[in-house]
Amino acid sequence: MPCVGDWLSSPFSIVQGFFAQNVPNSDWEKKVTEYFKEKLKENNATNWVPSLNDVPVHYLKPNSLVKFRCMVQDMFDPEFYMGVYETVDSNTNARVLHFGKYRDVAECGPQQEIDLNSSQSVTLERQTFYCVPVPGESAWVKEISFFWLSNASQARVSPSTSYTPSRHKRSYEEDEEMDLHPSKQKEQHMGNGSGGDIHGCVEPKRLETEASAGHHLISPNCSPPLDLNFPLPGEKGPACLVKVYESWDSFKVNDVLEVYGILSVDPALSIVNNEESSALDPMECMDTAEEQRVHSPPASLVPRIHVILAQKLQHINPLLPACLNEEESKTCEFVSNFMSELSPVRAELLGFLTHALLGDSLAAEYLILHLISTVYARQDVLPLGKFTVNLSGCPRNSIFTEHIYRIIQQLVPASYRLQMTIENMNRLRFIPHKDYTANRLVSGVLQLASNTSLVIDETQLEQGQLDSAGVHNVTALGNLITWQKVDYDFNYHRMEFPCNINVLITSEGRSLLPSDCQVHLQPQITPPNMEEYMSSLLTAVLPSVLNKFRIYLSLSRLLDYSISEEVTKAVEDDFVEMRKNDPESVTADDLHRTLLVARFLSLSAGQTTLSRERWLRAKQLEVLRKARLQQQRCVNGNEL
Amino acid sequence: MSSPASTPSRRRGGKRGRGSNPPTRKCSQDARSPPSQKRRTDDSTSTGDLQPMPTSPPADAQSPGAPDLLFSSPPQFRHSAIPLDFDISSPLTYGTPSSRVESTPRSGVRGTPVRQRPDLGSVRKARQVDLHSDGLAEDVATTEQSLGQRLVIWGTDVNIASCKEKFQRFLQRFIDPLAKEDEDIGLDLNEPRYMQRLEEINIVGEPFLNVNCDHLRSFDANLYRQLICYPQEVIPTFDMAANEIFFDRYPDSILEHQIQVRPYNALKTRNMRNLNPEDIDQLITISGMVIRSSQIIPEMQEAFFKCQVCAFTTRVEIDRGRIAEPSVCKNCNTVHSMVLIHNRSMFSDKQMIKLQESPEDMPAGQTPHTVVLFAHNDLVDKVQPGDRVNVTGIYRAVPIRVNPRMSSVKSVYKTHIDVIHYRKTDAKRLHGVDEETEQKIFAEERVEMLKELSKKADIYERLSLALAPSIYEHEDIKKGILLQLFGGSRKDFTHTGRGNFRAEINILLCGDPGTSKSQLLQYVYNLVPRGQYTSGKGSSAVGLTAYVMKDPETRQLILQTGALVLSDNGICCIDEFDKMNESTRSVLHEVMEQQTLSIAKAGIICQLNARTSILAAANPIESQWNPKKTTIENIQLPHTLLSRFDLIFLMLDPRDEAYDRRLARHLVSLYYRSEEKMEEEYMDMAVLRDYIAYARCFINPRLSEEASQALIEAYVEMRKIGSGRGMVSAYPRQLESLIRLAEAHAKVRFSEKVETIDVEEAKRLHREALKQSATDPRTGIVDISILTTGMSATARKRKEELAQALRKLIQSKGKAPSLKYQQLFDALRAQSDTAITKEMFEEALRALADDDFLTVTGKTVRLL
């Protein structure tokens, strides 16, 4: 049996081994997957596999086993490939069978030729996904997974590269911030002026697509840089063509996957294309130049991964075991361990967020509920479990909202801050749309993976004119919040993609976007220097504590929940009672919301059933929140 | 028919295999055909190479003629195929009596030029990748089993002779037992269907015979199977059979070229997603939407080479997409002397089309697949981007070209479909014939299941419960919407001058905010295939109707359709109806009654169909429903528009304990229910959708005698109620609504007849809706005039009485020329036994002022 290094660095030899043993039947395919599955189950084995997320492609050995944590951005058409093919040696006439699985190029020796008419050959089907790294993935997720990887690779016999991580300076999150959002910096300086930098991100992209539509650029040398089609502006990281061999129907657009597969960066891939476009055969020019560029980009830019194992991820938090559903003792242990210390963690987190929200503990409470909310089911069109919070009363034109985002970024695995300026609303592309010339889905800001935190900063919004794109964008945001779906634009029709995005809106007054719950911020303290106050807050938290927060939030979101019969009864009575007293102000919507609050309140305390106390507490929170709104209204009334 | 003798010759010459010498062979076809002669002479003087053609023995061509044709047909006739311009002239040059006289009917076949079929022809390339490649590589070479008679095409089980015979029998005998399709117009259903088609070809001169594979299957399942599995061998056989019959019958017929058979509706109709490697080289039908079409590509079919030394010319046929340039001149043996002469080479039209999966076929959460189509000759430019089509064709896979300099090959095939037949699925949509075209094809079990369902006594309740289960109660509203989904029967009274009666039911929901109106709309929008959802606030008149745009590139005017037109035959959901501005709402008037949309804009004047049901939701003007006011007063919509709604429902927050309790229970259960339960309900939604689609397609109920009687009674009754109190409570519009509702209810039962129970339910629902929306808040009596005039009859009467009382009061005061406003008000209040508000008083004053009885200036009232 091959040793450890083998299956990592030259998986083909293993596949070949199985293939040679079982040639006549197709058993070998199953055996290969099983073999790798077993291998990866071994102790920490998954950590030995180099990850495309962390290591640049050119440091990785071609045809070695790699992993990639990514989101399916687009799905290409299925392709038929030579599953098994036969080569003939032109000198000796010897015939050899080869497998085409996991390969882009049908290989054969110098003297050999492929017999296209062989009776032995088998045509099979596989599906290509265009995958990008999870959009808005927080820096800490990358850091932690990379840390584990580099630790593991030290122990490894033959690290694929001598790549020395240059990531350490990333721990200064300031730095990181700048990288991800250069816009912010500039905007701060520019004050109220146009958020000029968004052009910086979007404009070149747009120019590029126009350019590619205009010319027929055959040589990649003179073509503009390839648009890698990241949903969010300013994202980096490798995009990848992932070839899936089995059960591709189970994957959907925007699913987050972890794939283990064979890396293919064969330069032949791009060369073949060039040859092709100059070929005489009219059959070959069925694709336009743009389409070819998109569907077979240079392998150095967009590597291919031939998937051996792929799994959908429930979450991308590296601090948690990847799959929580399994009845593994390890997982259970982990969960129960954490559960035992859950309440202190919650208290600590509440304190931390209270400080962050300038001493407003009610808002902090609601923020926790928001952060663990998730759409757990849909009742026909109605998504259940979404909890969009509108944090009103945020000071205008201050860096407060930005800092709130930074803190959230530190807590959740994926997030994005959308600055709702007139400029952005009119210019950014929110809704993904299909580009039929290039035959691909051009991404938009709202193409996000499940459980991404979207922080919409409405304090940035000035008076001004929205153009039609802007109106569409606002509508799209509204739809996203109300129905948790995005209507992708397919030019001739629209298609609905359900999503599960936590939206937090920070605004001065009530937001113009719909929300499930509005919390008015009541700062208890006014720090003289906001900047200092906020950054000291983050530095004061120990990394280990921060990690606990992260685990806490991800874990609470995944817990199951139920309501017992007697509590149902109690809730019913309560509702009837409330309606009796005040039929005007208590509606079904209120009940909906209170039930949601109760749900998340229970889950945040690690309880999977609703208790009477929680229900009362939920009601109490709601009363407090509403009182504030009432109060706010009065204040405004007086002012007027 | 086909003589056994034919086989040897066919085998020799008729193969698609390259090896043989096609030029000589083909000429057996053209040997004596004047057209080809003509072309030759026209062409150029150097006909040296063509000389051999006539030499091929006519006898050979004679007897085996037809079979010859068919085996070889697609590829090798390519040589003999005549340039297009020539085809037109062929009848003239050819149709002389003399040529016919001496020939057997079959010679007619020969006389009409053969048109190559690139749709079948480009096959050879695909051969190699064929999954069952063992057999098919050299397809047309045939094996002799016994005495030259029992021949099968190599690799298949197709026996040409029997196949042809069977197909001829099919053509001659097939009578469609279930003929009811719209395309049968003008056909005698009791005569063999395809013979009539052939007659049509004779008259019209369009040499294409479309054959429904379904018919073929019901006639001869084995033949059908062969067609599906080996289309490129079987279709030429069919061509030949059809031509033989045709020219047998109409020997004098003159066609542009020989008849080509185009099978369609291969039962393997499938979703693009289901295509898999096993379908390669088979006949398939898939549906989808055209998203792009290329320019016409001239594809070289045959290259013409000329030796520069001795002027010897030769033709080379395309082989696997390549032309093998002859390196040595056969005549003078000079090396590399042959030069390609472009304008004597033969080209055919070809077009690349991208087809995308139709949105309905797509599983949720995935992106649509696309597939490449190649259309040839006549089929080029038959479809435009945006068209929904069913395509029948042969699925091909081609290996990505091997570069001779590189030993490795990309291990991927390119796939495409060679189109044989298109069938547009939505061609008629904008022109409005009927919705037959969108007949969804239901599996038989499904139909059985639906019919089974429809027999249930409580089907109506069941369906209404399945509708938006997350929305609590509001059963009558759901029932109303359910009937809207089914719609009435369409009636055509054009000949009596009234045009179409609308079959669509319009519903308005109004009520308190937060009563899940939007959710209901959203549900309906998700349920129906052609639904549109707009919000009154966000839509303009143009967005709803249509607008004219100038294409920036072509400077061509384009009509872009808006939500109403797009939801033709569907439902247009309009939220926040009250927030819509006046001008936008006004376009709805035409749509809601006439079901059309007239546009006169930028030089385009047209009338589009907008047979859409409207489901609108409106909020009361004071944000909370004021029970003391009428519907009109609450929503402030023009009554002209309101009266066009068949049903107007109030969605109020009922304030009673039992309801609250049930609601609470329902909501709580939402918050912990398991995923599986949800799954089940989703199934229900699919069933519901199919049920509705089936009923809309196939059920067209008519009024029965009792039902019409019941309707009349109901109407008279409604009128009577009103007249008793001196007002009219029903108008013909209400009667029409009743009829529509009754029809829809009959559809729910899958009944072709509207019966009394349907009328009963329609009446009940109508009354229910009326009770909610047209109740005079002051008297509690249903009063239709609230909707039709905006004011209830009692209100009008009351106003009048008050004015009279005021007049009397003033007159009783004697001759005082002016009165104090407040005094008068107090006096009136003191006199009256009911409470009089200031508004009422002012209204009365205004009424009197209108009668020129008095004028009001500031705080004083002056008599005139």
Side-chain angles (χ1 to χ4, degrees), chain B residues 292-532:
Chain B
R292 198 172 73 207
S293 59
S294 75
Q295 312 236 299
I296 294 174
I297 309 164
E299 192 180 35
M300 190 179 279
Q301 293 296 337
E302 188 186 72
F304 188 90
F305 288 98
K306 186 173 165 187
C307 174
Q308 283 184 309
V309 179
C310 65
F312 171 79
T313 61
T314 183
R315 288 162 187 272
V316 181
E317 198 187 335
I318 187 171
D319 179 14
R320 294 169 216 189
R322 305 225 147 171
I323 301 282
E325 186 184 342
S327 51
V328 183
C329 173
K330 274 189 223 145
N331 193 29
C332 60
N333 280 332
T334 323
V335 182
H336 297 309
S337 66
M338 305 298 280
V339 174
L340 180 73
I341 311 286
H342 267 282
N343 47 11
R344 296 199 55 195
S345 301
M346 212 93 73
F347 295 91
S348 70
D349 286 347
K350 179 170 148 182
Q351 186 181 31
M352 188 208 88
I353 290 152
K354 277 242 154 144
L355 193 73
Q356 182 187 279
E357 216 172 349
S358 26
E360 300 88 58
D361 293 344
M362 244 177 296
Q366 305 209 349
T367 57
H369 285 180
T370 56
V371 76
V372 176
L373 310 178
F374 282 125
H376 304 270
N377 294 335
D378 288 82
L379 294 175
V380 164
D381 270 349
K382 276 276 153 63
V383 290
Q384 265 84 46
D387 285 350
R388 300 280 189 91
V389 289
N390 279 331
V391 174
T392 305
I394 304 176
Y395 195 40
R396 312 278 195 196
V398 190
I400 287 181
R401 187 137 298 288
V402 187
N403 187 314
R405 275 161 295 166
M406 279 173 43
S407 55
S408 48
V409 189
K410 226 176 156 187
S411 62
V412 178
Y413 298 113
K414 289 214 162 185
T415 51
H416 70 266
I417 294 172
D418 278 323
V419 181
I420 292 179
H421 185 275
Y422 282 127
R423 187 186 166 102
K424 282 195 202 183
T425 47
D426 63 349
K428 292 172 183 164
R429 208 174 109 217
L430 282 183
H431 317 299
V433 180
D434 217 290
E435 53 201 289
E436 289 296 312
T437 34
E438 42 187 295
Q439 283 193 358
K440 248 179 137 182
I441 296 152
F442 292 99
E444 267 163 46
E445 314 87 73
R446 192 71 168 176
V447 173
E448 275 313 301
M449 195 267 264
L450 294 179
K451 286 198 173 142
E452 202 54 46
L453 254 181
S454 73
K455 291 201 187 93
K456 294 215 158 78
D458 60 342
I459 180 68
Y460 181 51
E461 276 72 30
R462 258 168 202 260
L463 290 178
S464 69
L465 280 183
L467 195 76
S470 69
I471 296 160
Y472 198 59
E473 298 214 328
H474 296 301
E475 255 134 53
D476 281 329
I477 297 177
K478 285 187 186 175
K479 280 179 180 167
I481 291 176
L482 187 71
L483 293 188
Q484 180 183 36
L485 291 171
F486 281 91
S489 312
R490 198 160 284 158
K491 306 164 204 71
D492 192 354
F493 286 102
T494 336
H495 57 277
T496 57
R498 232 211 96 166
N500 284 325
F501 267 48
R502 96 179 128 99
E504 282 73 18
I505 295 169
N506 298 322
I507 294 182
L508 175 67
L509 307 175
C510 36
D512 293 339
T515 39
S516 48
K517 293 189 297 291
S518 306
Q519 211 181 316
L520 204 51
L521 258 58
Q522 195 79 16
Y523 180 88
V524 170
Y525 158 67
N526 278 301
L527 182 71
V528 294
R530 202 174 279 149
Q532 291 291 324

Side-chain angles (χ1 to χ4, degrees), chain A residues 60-79:
Chain A
L60 288 170
K61 197 172 142 202
N63 296 333
S64 65
L65 192 72
V66 294
K67 68 177 174 188
F68 188 38
R69 187 176 62 246
C70 56
M71 184 186 85
V72 180
Q73 193 270 324
D74 192 4
M75 290 167 158
F76 293 161
D77 294 333
E79 55 187 25

Side-chain angles (χ1 to χ4, degrees), chain B residues 679-695:
Chain B
E679 230 18 66
E680 275 171 35
E681 253 152 33
Y682 183 74
M683 279 299 292
D684 276 353
M685 191 160 163
V687 173
L688 182 64
R689 188 180 287 146
D690 279 1
Y691 195 93
I692 292 171
Y694 184 84

